Amino acid sequence: MPHSDDTSFPVSETSRIRRYHERGSHERQAVYAVLDASPICHVGYVIEDQPYVTPTLHWRLGDRIFWHGSSASRFLKQTREHKVCLTVTLIDGFVLARSAFNHSVNYRSAMVFGVAHQLTDPAEKEASLKAMTEDFYPGRWDKLRPITAQEIKATAVLYMDIAEASVKVRSGPPGDQAEADFPVWAGLVPLQTILSDPRVDGDPDHPLPVLSARLGAKT
Amino acid sequence: MPHSDDTSFPVSETSRIRRYHERGSHERQAVYAVLDASPICHVGYVIEDQPYVTPTLHWRLGDRIFWHGSSASRFLKQTREHKVCLTVTLIDGFVLARSAFNHSVNYRSAMVFGVAHQLTDPAEKEASLKAMTEDFYPGRWDKLRPITAQEIKATAVLYMDIAEASVKVRSGPPGDQAEADFPVWAGLVPLQTILSDPRVDGDPDHPLPVLSARLGAKT
């Protein structure tokens, strides 16, 4: 029986966490935190029994997730309901244990289920593209050469309302302290996504853009 | 009509590149290069019309890709053919143009199609897990506490032979030089995945592990 409340997303057989459930949650804030921590997601959809997984940029307003959806155009031409699974994954480090079996990865991953729709109203599309630009580069939209009607038309924006969602997180050292005497190095190798110094194209005298923390850590 | 030769993977309506085809290729070496450049993939599969996208670790031997497949156990219980799409994506930077429309991302992405199978023979599973460990941490397998029959049994290894594949790459500066006079900063913000210094768990006197270049750049 689906269960939902203010703090958690509903759970069905689709989203129930089957493995390492101690690492998992359906809590809204935990799901949002992972979705918002990376600008990149992988969207899964089905065309005639064939799964497709497409990387794209996403942004979120409440329980609605938006993404660039051009490569899904064939998908949206199907007459049936457009079920999607949108997954965001951050790798925080490699976990080296004393046995191969206990090797692992520290990660945060959110898996979100829903039905995809396409924005068609030009004003809604423009508002959404502005929200994306501001989400990535705060304050940038109003400084840009204004968007044209043709550009809005040429940009596909898809969205889904989160129907179900789960999040999984692994952190900490290897889980093999019981055999800590085994004579091999064990520990963590942290992994970070780092933004390097911007490389200007054109006039270097314009003020540098503001980069959202979503994009990566600064050097 | 599917087309294949020594240098390229076959192409059908499934894998044909529809958008920005000038950024795309079906060449084997280009596909391999992206698959091998990251340890993480997203595997898409279908259960009763519902797509799922699961992050996992992968490794490759020729045209065969292996991955940890525990979360796909329900998927493999289906009686029909187990079609999958496995996607690897690396984000190399953010591309800030003078218009919102020309903003982009520099990336490398490979999308691989095939049919998933599960390794069942214990000796084959052990060989595959050794190949993975050596791929990630060269020389480490023989230093570890030896794997047990129970651990091999408890580990699910899936694989696919690449039936079709495509790769897409975007690199370089923003594509809006025609409006380079517009008064706003434009350029690239490179993104790198960086391995930090290892944090030992236990005895610090054991030699540090060797980390494959696949895992990330070293500090």
Side-chain angles (χ1 to χ4, degrees):
Chain A
M1 185 69 192
H3 155 84
S4 179
D5 57 34
D6 283 350
T7 59
S8 290
F9 287 109
V11 181
S12 77
E13 280 305 296
T14 299
S15 57
R16 186 169 62 80
I17 294 164
R18 285 174 169 69
R19 202 161 163 278
Y20 288 124
H21 50 80
E22 75 283 5
R23 297 180 185 171
S25 159
H26 301 278
E27 285 177 23
R28 285 174 190 275
Q29 293 305 325
V31 171
Y32 296 160
V34 174
L35 291 175
D36 296 350
S38 169
I40 299 291
C41 67
H42 283 79
V43 181
Y45 53 93
V46 186
I47 301 176
E48 293 172 4
D49 295 333
Q50 173 66 54
Y52 291 80
V53 177
T54 304
T56 190
L57 302 170
H58 68 282
W59 60 107
R60 183 180 70 82
L61 290 171
D63 278 353
R64 182 163 288 183
I65 308 176
F66 298 85
W67 69 95
H68 264 305
S70 42
S71 63
S73 57
R74 275 189 311 158
F75 162 64
L76 290 172
K77 283 181 190 149
Q78 299 182 115
T79 51
R80 61 202 230 183
E81 194 180 52
H82 303 116
K83 289 182 183 174
V84 290
C85 173
L86 185 152
T87 299
V88 172
T89 307
L90 296 108
I91 304 297
D92 294 322
F94 297 94
V95 182
L96 283 73
R98 283 108 183 149
S99 64
F101 187 73
N102 280 320
H103 277 63
S104 190
V105 171
N106 282 343
Y107 66 94
R108 291 166 282 159
S109 183
M111 193 180 285
V112 172
F113 300 93
V115 174
H117 304 276
Q118 188 158 6
L119 281 185
T120 51
D121 178 70
E124 282 186 47
K125 283 175 78 173
E126 180 170 348
S128 173
L129 293 170
K130 177 177 178 177
M132 178 202 190
T133 304
E134 290 294 302
D135 188 28
F136 280 53
Y137 313 112
R140 188 162 176 81
W141 181 266
D142 289 335
K143 297 192 181 82
L144 294 172
R145 190 266 290 148
I147 198 164
T148 67
Q150 182 53 39
E151 288 173 344
I152 292 168
K153 193 175 171 186
T155 307
V157 178
L158 280 79
Y159 69 92
M160 67 187 286
D161 292 319
I162 302 176
E164 300 184 36
S166 65
V167 61
K168 270 191 167 178
V169 175
R170 198 242 182 249
S171 61
D176 65 349
Q177 283 81 356
E179 48 189 336
D181 287 342
F182 197 86
V184 65
W185 191 94
L188 284 180
V189 183
L191 194 71
Q192 268 195 298
T193 304
I194 304 275
L195 295 166
S196 309
D197 289 336
R199 297 180 196 160
V200 72
D201 175 72
D203 188 346
D205 289 335
H206 297 305
L208 279 170
V210 178
L211 305 172
S212 159
R214 283 192 79 196
L215 304 186
K218 274 104 181 172
T219 39
Chain B
M1 185 68 193
H3 155 86
S4 179
D5 57 33
D6 285 349
T7 59
S8 291
F9 287 110
V11 181
S12 77
E13 281 304 295
T14 299
S15 56
R16 186 169 61 81
I17 294 164
R18 283 172 171 69
R19 205 165 160 274
Y20 287 123
H21 50 80
E22 74 284 4
R23 298 181 184 170
S25 160
H26 302 278
E27 284 177 24
R28 286 174 189 274
Q29 293 304 326
V31 171
Y32 296 160
V34 174
L35 292 174
D36 297 349
S38 169
I40 300 291
C41 67
H42 283 78
V43 181
Y45 53 94
V46 186
I47 301 176
E48 292 172 5
D49 294 332
Q50 173 66 54
Y52 291 81
V53 177
T54 305
T56 190
L57 302 170
H58 69 282
W59 59 107
R60 184 180 69 82
L61 290 172
D63 278 352
R64 182 163 289 185
I65 308 176
F66 298 86
W67 68 95
H68 265 303
S70 42
S71 62
S73 55
R74 276 189 310 158
F75 162 65
L76 290 173
K77 282 181 189 151
Q78 298 183 115
T79 50
R80 61 202 227 182
E81 193 181 52
H82 303 113
K83 289 181 183 174
V84 290
C85 173
L86 185 151
T87 299
V88 172
T89 307
L90 297 109
I91 304 297
D92 294 322
F94 298 94
V95 182
L96 284 72
R98 284 110 183 146
S99 64
F101 186 73
N102 280 319
H103 277 63
S104 189
V105 172
N106 282 344
Y107 66 94
R108 290 165 283 160
S109 182
M111 192 181 287
V112 172
F113 300 93
V115 174
H117 303 276
Q118 188 157 5
L119 281 186
T120 51
D121 179 71
E124 281 186 48
K125 282 173 77 174
E126 180 170 349
S128 173
L129 293 169
K130 178 176 177 179
M132 178 201 190
T133 304
E134 290 294 302
D135 188 29
F136 280 53
Y137 313 111
R140 187 162 176 83
W141 181 266
D142 288 335
K143 297 192 180 83
L144 294 172
R145 190 265 290 146
I147 198 164
T148 67
Q150 182 54 38
E151 287 174 342
I152 292 169
K153 194 175 170 185
T155 307
V157 178
L158 279 79
Y159 69 92
M160 67 187 286
D161 292 319
I162 303 176
E164 299 183 36
S166 64
V167 62
K168 269 189 168 180
V169 174
R170 198 240 181 250
S171 60
D176 66 349
Q177 283 80 357
E179 49 188 336
D181 286 342
F182 197 87
V184 65
W185 192 93
L188 284 180
V189 183
L191 194 71
Q192 267 196 298
T193 305
I194 304 274
L195 296 165
S196 309
D197 289 338
R199 298 179 195 159
V200 71
D201 175 73
D203 188 343
D205 290 335
H206 298 303
L208 278 171
V210 178
L211 306 172
S212 159
R214 282 193 80 195
L215 305 186
K218 274 103 181 171
T219 40

